[in-house]
Each structure stands twice: as C-alpha cells, then as structure tokens.
Amino acid sequence: MSKSWLKGIKSFHFKIVPEIQNALTTIIKQLERKEWKGQFDINDVLTMVIRMLICIVRLSINQPINSYKPLMVSEEDENIFPYRLFSSVNKLYDFTLLKDEYEYLLRGVNPKFDNHNILKLTRQVIEQVSSQTKQDFYKDNQLQVNLFSHLLTRLNNKYKFANEYNPFVVDLKKRNPALFEAVKKALRENISSNPTVINDSFVAFVTLHFLVSLEERHVSKNAKIIYVCSTGIGVTSLIKKEIERNISNVEIAGFASISNVVEKIRVVQPDLVVSIFPITGTKVPVIQVNPLPSKNDLQKIQNQVAKILNVKPESLTQVTISHRENQTLEETTHTLLMKGTLIFEELQAYLKNRIPKKYREPFMIHVMMAMHRIYFHHSYDSQMVSLKGIKERSEDIKKIKQIFLQNQLEINMTEISAILQYTRMDKILDKEDE
C-alpha cells in the first residue's frame, strides 16, 4: 500500500465524534498488518474500510444491519483478506461475527444472488426489455450468454464494489434513450430499486449488450416469391427487378401466368405471391401490385416479407442497385426500362395538367431519352437548351432533381430546362405563329 494513500486516509478527522475517529484508527492499523496486494485495488480497499467503519459504529450501539445470525465461513474463506480484516477488527471490539454484517462488507447494499437466480434474472430482464421496446431480444441466445456472464460477474463477485465508471453513459442516452430507460426499469424492478446499486453506469454496461444484439442482427433467410402476370414472363421480370432493388431477403421462386398460378403454387410452395391480377382461393398471402410497383406496393411487400421472416420491416435493408459496367445487355435493358418508366410516371404525376394533352406522348419519349443520356453520361450541355427563366422555378427544379436522385441519377440544369419546356409548349408555339 502506498504511503501517500495511507497518509490520506489517516488525515480524516472526526473531532466531534471521537469514537468514530478511534474506530477508523483501529481499522487502519489492522489494514496495515494484512496482505492484500495483488487481490484488490486501492478503491476496493477504501470501500471496505468505510464499510467496516459503519459496521463498528452500528454494532457499538447494538443496531446490526439485519439480525444477529452468526457468520459461518469455510476454511478457504478464512484465508481471504476481507475476512481477516473483518474478524480481526471485530475481535478487538469483542463483537460476534455476524453474517449480515460480513455480507455488507463484501457487497454493501447489493442483493445477493446465486448462479441459478442470476440465470433466471437474466431471462426476466431480457423478456422485460423485449416487451418494452417491441424487439425480440429473447430470441438472441448470444445476448443471453453475454448478459448472464456480465451479471454473474457484477452480482456474484464478492470483492468488486460500486466504483465503476462508464464513459458511454451520455452517448447511450442520446443514441437510444428508449432502450436505456427500458434496461434501467428492468434492472431496478428485478435487482434493486436503490439508485446507488442500479446506477447509470451499470445500466449503460447492460444496455451495450442489447445494442450489440440490435446492431448485429441480420436476417439469414429469404422469402420465396412467385410473380404473376398475364403470360408469366413479361411484366413480372420488371416487377422482380424493382422489388429486388428496394427490398432484401427475397428470392424468385418462379414465374406464373394467371391460368397456371394455382398449379405453380402447389409445386413451388412459395411464401408470397405478387401479382398484377387479383388472386383468390389460396392460403399463401397474395399482394396485388401495379404493373410497375408503386411506393405503396413496395411497402406492402416489405411488410409482408418482414412478417413471413418474423422480423421488423426496417430490418430488411434496402439495396441500391447502381449502374455497373459489366451488366449484360438484358440487365441494362431492364434497368433502362424500369428507370425510364418510373421517372416518367413520377414527373407526370407532379406536373399533371401543366403539360398539354397533345404533348404528353412526346414528353414521355423525351423523358426516356433524357434518362438514357444521363445514364450513359451524355447529357445536354448548356449550349443546346436555353436556361432563360429557369432559376425562377426553384420548386420545380428541386422536385425534378429529387425524382432523378431517387433513381440513382443526377440531372443537370440543362436537362431540367428541357423537361420544363413542355410545361410552356403552347406559349412557345403561339409566339412562333405570331
């Protein structure tokens, strides 16, 4: 023990209550005679000194912590430092060695658990946190093993005390406050309501186990889907591409037409049927979609796939498919058709009647060609289209950029200006007639 540390303890003075000062001096003298290095750090020993002092003061006024039940220890326990300190100090005061007083020296106000109770406690905490957060933590076997190990060390270790410091407390409270509070509530209801026992530092350590479970979770299986259209081969391939672009953990189990879908379901036994036609009379879930799936269609599919795989919809990570140089001609054609059609439909829904009816077909062709130019990096330059008045249409510019970005394409101001020309075609032609 360092002299500076001992000197600091000896400097404590209780002039008003000399009995406390005498008890502290007695404990320090006994401490100097005991060998504890290698077993405990200074903080642990200081904790024991303070608790031993409280025990002596309590017993001096005949107020034991709980009962007068005598202490029974094994020969092995008799050789450990806490017992030797406890017995030597009590002997000087001629106090009986009491079980509850010794437990207090070892654990303070922490409740005592054996291995069986800690295993039961671990399960209760996980189930309660699962219920509060609506997450199925109880299915994570690794979480149970890790948390049991942590609680076993924390609650069953006689010689480590409440001096722990967790630097992640503030960050965890900000990052996932709901989870932090759920863990705190579960620990205080199942272990101790005493905030000195279940403090924020302890809660943070336990919360980290749940965060690891939450972040390392991955879905290792896929939902099998049958795609149905009129022929079983046409639009379904486009639907398949769009679903795979937005939802993970799905795999094509087969294509079907409206005439053979029942037989196809019987043979393939899929988890889900996605169809552009209404289908009845099957026990397999069916989701009817537009020929080109809308955002609402994709959300319904995602929710159903999550239900099939028994996970949260947000666990199905969206997969962004970008332009690849090594795509086959068929893959590139699919990508161009899908992107062009989606972009056209979204632009048309936004601009609505601002595009004259007689120019809607030319507008569709223009959008498809614009998408093709952008996809292959051959966009219009600023000399090809007038940018006059374009800056005044900030809302239109913002929306058009957003539509293209949602489809992994960046559009420049010249291409935007060319698209917006269709909203003023009547005015342009009237000027030309004049």
Side-chain angles (χ1 to χ4, degrees), residues 109-113 121-122 124-125 151 154-155 185-194 197-198 202 206:
V109 292
N110 288 279
K112 182 182 179 181
F113 295 93
L121 170 68
T122 301
Q124 289 173 337
V125 170
L151 293 178
R154 181 64 173 78
L155 301 176
K185 182 179 180 183
L187 293 177
R188 289 194 171 176
E189 290 184 3
N190 290 281
I191 297 178
S192 173
S193 59
N194 190 330
V197 177
I198 307 301
F202 180 33
V206 175

Side-chain angles (χ1 to χ4, degrees), residues 232-267:
I233 193 169
V235 178
T236 50
S237 59
L238 290 178
I239 296 174
K240 172 180 178 292
K241 288 287 183 181
E242 182 63 3
I243 292 174
E244 290 178 342
R245 187 172 73 90
N246 287 276
I247 306 172
S248 70
N249 303 101
V250 295
E251 64 178 78
I252 183 168
F255 294 103
S257 65
I258 192 65
S259 61
N260 69 355
V261 63
V262 175
E263 177 63 15
K264 197 77 172 182
I265 290 173
R266 186 188 68 79
V267 174

Side-chain angles (χ1 to χ4, degrees), residues 24 49 52 76 91 98 101 120 125 152 207 219 221 292 294 318 339 351 366 378 399 403 422 428:
L24 178 60
V49 168
M52 190 73 248
E76 182 181 354
K91 185 176 181 181
L98 300 179
E101 297 297 331
K120 182 180 178 182
V125 170
L152 183 66
T207 303
V219 185
K221 56 183 179 179
L292 287 172
S294 65
Q318 289 191 341
K339 286 183 183 292
L351 296 172
H366 177 94
H378 298 300
K399 183 62 178 179
I403 290 172
Y422 282 85
I428 293 174

Side-chain angles (χ1 to χ4, degrees), residues 317-330:
T317 309
Q318 289 191 341
V319 180
T320 299
I321 300 178
S322 57
H323 172 51
R324 302 196 316 269
E325 296 298 333
N326 60 346
Q327 279 186 319
T328 65
L329 179 59
E330 181 183 5

Side-chain angles (χ1 to χ4, degrees), residues 121-136:
L121 170 68
T122 301
R123 291 170 178 164
Q124 289 173 337
V125 170
I126 291 176
E127 287 177 3
Q128 190 167 332
V129 173
S130 298
S131 176
Q132 291 182 61
T133 60
K134 309 301 181 185
Q135 296 283 349
D136 51 356

Side-chain angles (χ1 to χ4, degrees), residues 298-312:
L298 294 172
Q299 188 62 55
K300 287 192 292 186
I301 295 171
Q302 184 179 37
N303 291 340
Q304 186 62 47
V305 170
K307 184 177 180 180
I308 291 168
L309 300 179
N310 196 25
V311 297
K312 297 286 184 180

